[in-house]
Amino acid sequence: MHRKCIMDHWIIINEAVVYQRYALREPATFAKSTGYETTIPHEKLTIAQARRGTPANRPVRVYADGIFDLFHSGHARALMQAKNVFPNTHLIVGVCSDELTHKYKGYTVMTEAERYEALLHCRYVDEVVRDAPWTLTPEFLQKHKIDFVAHDDIPYTSAGSEDVYKHIKEAGMFVATQRTDGISTSDLITRIVRDYDIYVRRNLQRGYTARELNVGFINEKKYRLQNQVDKMKETVRTVEEKSKHFVYRVEEKSQDLIHKWEEKSREFIGNFLELFGPDGAWHVIQERSGRMLQALSPYSSPRGSPSSSPTRRRSVSPDSFPSSASASPPSSPSSKSSHSSPKKGKRSSFKAASTYSRHVQ
């Protein structure tokens, strides 16, 4: 007996794993009109038992209902909480029909078929109940073998009742979920109504006719004119952006050219000064070439000017002449007569100088 219970438990776990894999690849199923049929005894559970994961032979069947118009992330989050409220949960979602919704809440954007289809493709949903009742009755709960009902804890006033879930709470079958702030179907509709002109113009651009949008002839022309004006503004804005980008690129290129020109100018001036400056290589070359020319070509003096030669300059130097006392013989009558004649004195002195020059050479 104990072994049989273990085997049954193992089979149920495997079926749950296979079902989860299948559910992620395929949409959920619709509930049967006859209700949930099973051979496993369906005993009433407490919340404490369900949180412990019992009973082991079946999942806890949790029911969540709503309109789900314009299905959004707030709906998905609420269903995710309902799916994970217990360790092993089979989530059943009831969707009210258009007739009931229009009667008790208001007109919907999506039809009931569209709303059913949206719920079938939510990953947290295991089963969808079409034409769900506005108020849950004991017969409905028994028909679908519902253990608990999940909804946010705010009292839901409708159909002449202060809270349509009051009797569920009193029976201990209610589990609370949290609403998502900032997103709801009413908020989405408010956005569309507030920006009605924008969305009409949007759909006209996408090919919808004025008749499909329930727009008159004058308003249609106005919206189309506004679309043309917006297109022109967008074109001008695009041209301005491109012009700004082009000017920016030209400025950037010009700055690069100026920087390069300055660098090249500094480099040219530095090279010029290095070559032709006071201490430059050109002056060094000139000085060296001048020295080489002086070493290779000696001084040349013109003819008839003996004074230009260094030897001549040394011979005619006043210090080079011997004194008249040492060079001339003792005075005699003939010498006295020579001093008396100026012409003879010049010839004799020139002759003596020439004799001394040859002697020195």
Side-chain angles (χ1 to χ4, degrees), residues 185-204:
T185 302
S186 298
D187 290 339
L188 296 177
I189 295 175
T190 300
R191 296 180 199 175
I192 297 172
V193 173
R194 181 185 59 202
D195 299 324
Y196 170 78
D197 289 353
I198 294 175
Y199 291 110
V200 170
R201 288 163 54 190
R202 170 187 180 274
N203 282 8
L204 285 173

Side-chain angles (χ1 to χ4, degrees), residues 18-182:
V18 171
Y19 180 77
Q20 287 179 354
R21 292 178 180 174
Y22 175 80
L24 292 177
R25 292 181 175 87
E26 299 292 335
T29 59
F30 286 116
K32 295 180 180 180
S33 59
T34 56
Y36 178 64
E37 298 176 357
T38 180
T39 57
I40 300 174
H42 192 86
E43 300 175 356
K44 185 175 178 60
L45 298 176
T46 64
I47 293 179
Q49 289 175 328
R51 292 191 189 281
R52 287 197 302 266
T54 55
N57 59 348
R58 68 173 180 87
V60 179
R61 295 176 64 82
V62 177
Y63 178 82
D65 59 356
I67 309 303
F68 302 105
D69 191 22
L70 297 177
F71 189 81
H72 52 74
S73 62
H75 295 141
R77 285 178 177 272
L79 296 177
M80 178 185 68
Q81 296 175 55
K83 177 69 174 177
N84 294 285
V85 69
F86 301 119
N88 185 18
T89 301
H90 181 86
L91 181 59
I92 309 162
V93 178
V95 183
C96 299
S97 65
D98 287 344
E99 182 181 358
L100 278 178
T101 305
H102 298 167
K103 179 179 179 181
Y104 292 111
K105 191 169 184 178
Y107 195 76
T108 58
V109 177
M110 300 171 67
T111 64
E112 61 182 44
E114 293 169 340
R115 293 185 283 116
Y116 297 155
E117 191 70 19
L119 268 300
L120 287 176
H121 292 85
C122 178
R123 63 180 299 180
Y124 309 112
V125 178
D126 298 307
E127 189 177 341
V128 175
V129 177
R130 292 172 287 190
D131 193 13
W134 198 260
T135 302
L136 300 178
T137 62
E139 293 78 16
F140 179 84
L141 298 175
Q142 181 61 33
K143 177 181 178 181
H144 293 281
K145 303 294 189 293
I146 295 170
D147 295 310
F148 300 97
V149 177
H151 200 272
D152 62 81
D153 203 18
I154 301 173
Y156 196 85
T157 304
S158 180
S161 174
E162 295 181 356
D163 188 2
V164 295
Y165 297 103
K166 183 179 178 180
H167 64 288
I168 303 294
K169 294 176 182 178
E170 292 174 349
M173 298 176 63
F174 185 85
V175 289
T177 59
Q178 299 295 322
R179 294 179 65 90
T180 302
D181 295 333

Side-chain angles (χ1 to χ4, degrees), residues 289-303:
S289 62
R291 291 174 187 173
M292 292 177 64
L293 290 173
Q294 288 178 2
L296 293 174
S297 58
Y299 292 97
S300 59
S301 59
R303 296 180 180 179

